[in-house]
């Protein structure tokens, strides 16, 4: 006895066809037309699309960062993701400075074990590439971790130097792994920021002046050159502007194995309107690299349309706009500043520190913004409903490409016999107004507040089990599985 999804418009990265899908256990066992419904639970999908579950390969749940910890964890962040149609994500383990990769992995496993509600994988962010860490890298493959992340920004926190990046690429290439970079020239940023502060330029809008597009373009190009020299597949995260898009286009045309993503916010938000919003509101939109201009928005749409970029992620890393409520100092001391999972649960008014940390000094604003729940609906509205993206291209960008690039295909990322039954019943007529009042993310603002979208997931299934039914949550803690990813994934 299985579940038969009947008469939906099934969309993959290559096809759009009306038909039926039979799910038995956790996987898809049959796809066809007019399938026999005898003995199966039938879900009538007439007038609806059936899409593969969304994949977001760039999230930071429960991340200690900027003097606090990102709000959403593997519980709240997973629910929010699923309500928006994302059923799989990949989060970043951070190697503790002075510690091993295994130490970092142990910490991140604790964040997810018994808590996760959707399926997830891990990338490994290397902060300190000592000789013994070089030797430790191949052991990640046994753990199903096939991607390394290096930060070319955040000097004195996570930033690595060029020789470290180059050595990491050599090692990754030898082991069938992929390198990801946050590409901004952190040395230049670390010089500009104190100069701006000394000139009294302390408001959120000056965050953009401290990280101009040139330093993103420069670092992107530097990483691409190293990728070409080492032959290491490179994936550039959160690309925002003409300078870096030009660099990746050039690298790809010269045959370097480079790929890239942008994030939802970079299509919509601008320095003038959002970072420059009245009062302290601009802090809501502080992330790195910064949001840019309308000119860049158009360049990014073109880059996802023409295949220069392969994925649209979120970089979800949310912080309260008005945080720091309740006995958070005592909590921080009692938990060494690393475990905040239970803090807000004690009292609905409690909030860990957030964006308010940067009042009077933009460089102290925790970097990052929410979006894990909004991603699919916002890109459907402004991509598919406007004709910029076909439904098949939408599936390619939001699900299939990330599954392929990160070694999860065809278990994830498509609708095929044998694939996990991660399915979205997507109603193209359903209207929804995005708002912090109704979203499921644990944060007191939404970047797309008031945006009305037409098209949303009305039912969400993971491995055959229904997680979302309209407004109802049916998932459970511990049901989300860790995905062991495969090495030697293709360069798209
Ligand atoms: O501002 C951002 N992007 N915060 C999250 C960390 C990162 O750099 O991705
Ligand atoms: Zn049957
Ligand atoms: Zn980053
Ligand atoms: Zn990030």
């Amino acid at each position: 006895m299985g579940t038969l999804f009947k008469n939906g418009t099934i969309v993959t990265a290559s096809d759009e066809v009306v038909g039926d899908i039979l799910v038995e256990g956790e996987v898809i066992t049959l796809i066809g037309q007019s399938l026999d419904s005898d003995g199966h639970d039938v879900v009538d999908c007439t007038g609806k699309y059936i899409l593969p579950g969304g994949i977001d390969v760039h999230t930071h749940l429960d991340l200690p960062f900027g003097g606090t910890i990102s709000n959403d964890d593997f519980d709240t962040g997973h629910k929010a993701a699923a309500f928006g149609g994302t059923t799989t994500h990949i989060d970043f383990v951070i190697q503790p400075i002075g510690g091993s990769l295994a130490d970092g992995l142990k910490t991140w496993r604790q964040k997810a074990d018994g808590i996760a509600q959707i399926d997830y994988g891990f990338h490994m962010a290397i902060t300190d590439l000592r000789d013994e860490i070089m030797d430790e890298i191949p052991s990640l493959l046994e753990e199903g971790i096939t991607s390394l992340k290096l930060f070319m920004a955040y000097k004195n926190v996570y930033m690595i130097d060029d020789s470290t990046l180059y050595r990491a690429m050599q090692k990754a290439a030898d082991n069938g792994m992929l390198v990801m970079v946050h590409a901004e020239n952190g040395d230049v940023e670390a010089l500009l920021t104190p100069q701006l502060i000394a000139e009294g330029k302390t408001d959120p809008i000056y965050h953009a002046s401290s990280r101009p597009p040139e330093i993103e373009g420069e670092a992107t190009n530097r990483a691409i050159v190293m990728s070409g020299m080492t032959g290491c597949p490179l994936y550039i995260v959160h690309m925002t502007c003409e300078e870096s898009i030009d660099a990746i286009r050039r690298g790809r045309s010269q045959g370097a194995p480079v790929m890239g993503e942008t994030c939802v916010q970079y299509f919509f938000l601008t320095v003038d309107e959002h970072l420059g919003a009245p009062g302290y509101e601009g802090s809501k939109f502080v992330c790195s690299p910064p949001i840019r201009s309308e000119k860049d928005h158009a360049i990014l749409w073109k880059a996802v349309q023409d295949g220069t970029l392969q994925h649209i992620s979120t970089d979800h890393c949310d912080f309260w706009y008005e945080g720091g409520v309740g006995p958070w100092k005592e909590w921080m001391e009692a938990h060494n500043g690393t475990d905040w999972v239970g803090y807000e649960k004690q009292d609905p008014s409690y909030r860990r520190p957030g964006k308010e940390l940067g009042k009077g000094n933009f460089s102290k604003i925790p970097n990052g913004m929410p979006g894990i729940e909004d991603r699919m609906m916002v890109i459907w509205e402004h991509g598919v409903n406007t004709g910029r993206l076909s439904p098949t291209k939408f599936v390619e960008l939001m699900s299939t490409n990330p599954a392929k690039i990160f070694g999860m295909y065809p278990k994830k990322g498509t609708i095929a016999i044998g694939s996990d039954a991660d399915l979205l019943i997507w109603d193209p007529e359903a209207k929804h107004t995005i708002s912090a009042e109704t979203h499921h993310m644990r944060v007191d603002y939404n970047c797309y507040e008031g945006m009305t979208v037409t098209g949303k997931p009305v039912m969400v299934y993971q491995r055959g089990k229904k997680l979302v039914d309209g407004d109802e949550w049916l998932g459970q803690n511990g049901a989300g599985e860790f995905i062991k990813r495969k090495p030697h994934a293709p360069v798209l």
Side-chain angles (χ1 to χ4, degrees), residues 151-170:
F151 291 91
M152 302 169 81
Y154 304 126
K155 193 170 180 178
N156 301 322
V157 186
Y158 298 144
M159 189 175 113
I160 46 76
D161 61 13
D162 288 348
S163 71
T164 301
L165 178 55
Y166 200 89
R167 283 192 301 135
M169 283 189 182
Q170 289 177 318

Side-chain angles (χ1 to χ4, degrees), residues 22 34 41 43 50 54 74 90 114 120 139 148 200 212 217 250 260 279 301-302 320 364 418 442 449 460 466 485:
L22 180 64
S34 307
D41 290 333
V43 180
I50 308 179
F74 286 76
I90 311 182
Y120 62 98
S139 70
L148 307 177
R250 193 168 55 242
W301 281 115
K302 172 98 187 354
W320 296 114
K364 301 248 185 322
R442 177 161 60 193
E449 185 68 37
V460 176
K466 201 194 280 185
R485 297 183 289 115

Side-chain angles (χ1 to χ4, degrees), residues 22 24 36 38 40:
L22 180 64
E24 289 169 302
D36 179 4
D38 275 4
H40 302 305

Side-chain angles (χ1 to χ4, degrees), residues 265-278:
Q265 57 269 29
Y266 296 117
F267 292 106
F268 297 98
L269 309 179
T270 65
V271 176
D272 292 343
E273 187 185 340
H274 295 93
L275 272 184

Side-chain angles (χ1 to χ4, degrees), residues 58 60 65 151 154 182 238 287-288 315 317 367-368:
H58 190 159
H60 303 280
F65 195 50
F151 291 91
Y154 304 126
H182 171 136
H238 51 40
C287 64
S288 295
D315 197 8
C317 185
N367 281 207

Side-chain angles (χ1 to χ4, degrees), residues 59-64 68-82 89 91 108 111-112 115 314-320 340-342 344-345 352-353 369-374 439-446:
T59 62
H60 303 280
L61 300 179
D62 205 357
L63 174 71
T68 181
I69 296 200
S70 63
N71 281 13
D72 275 310
D73 53 39
F74 286 76
D75 180 28
T76 61
H78 279 190
K79 271 188 221 157
H89 75 115
D91 211 85
W108 257 262
K111 293 175 190 285
I115 296 170
T314 59
D315 197 8
H316 179 87
C317 185
D318 56 352
F319 302 99
W320 296 114
W340 286 84
V341 166
E344 281 88 352
K345 286 188 183 144
R352 67 191 72 185
M369 57 176 75
I372 200 167
E373 182 170 359
D374 310 315
H439 73 200
H440 301 83
M441 300 180 286
R442 177 161 60 193
V443 65
D444 53 345
Y445 70 99
N446 189 296

Side-chain angles (χ1 to χ4, degrees), residues 12-23:
T12 65
S14 55
D15 299 293
E16 191 180 316
V17 62
V18 175
D20 308 341
I21 299 171
L22 180 64
V23 172

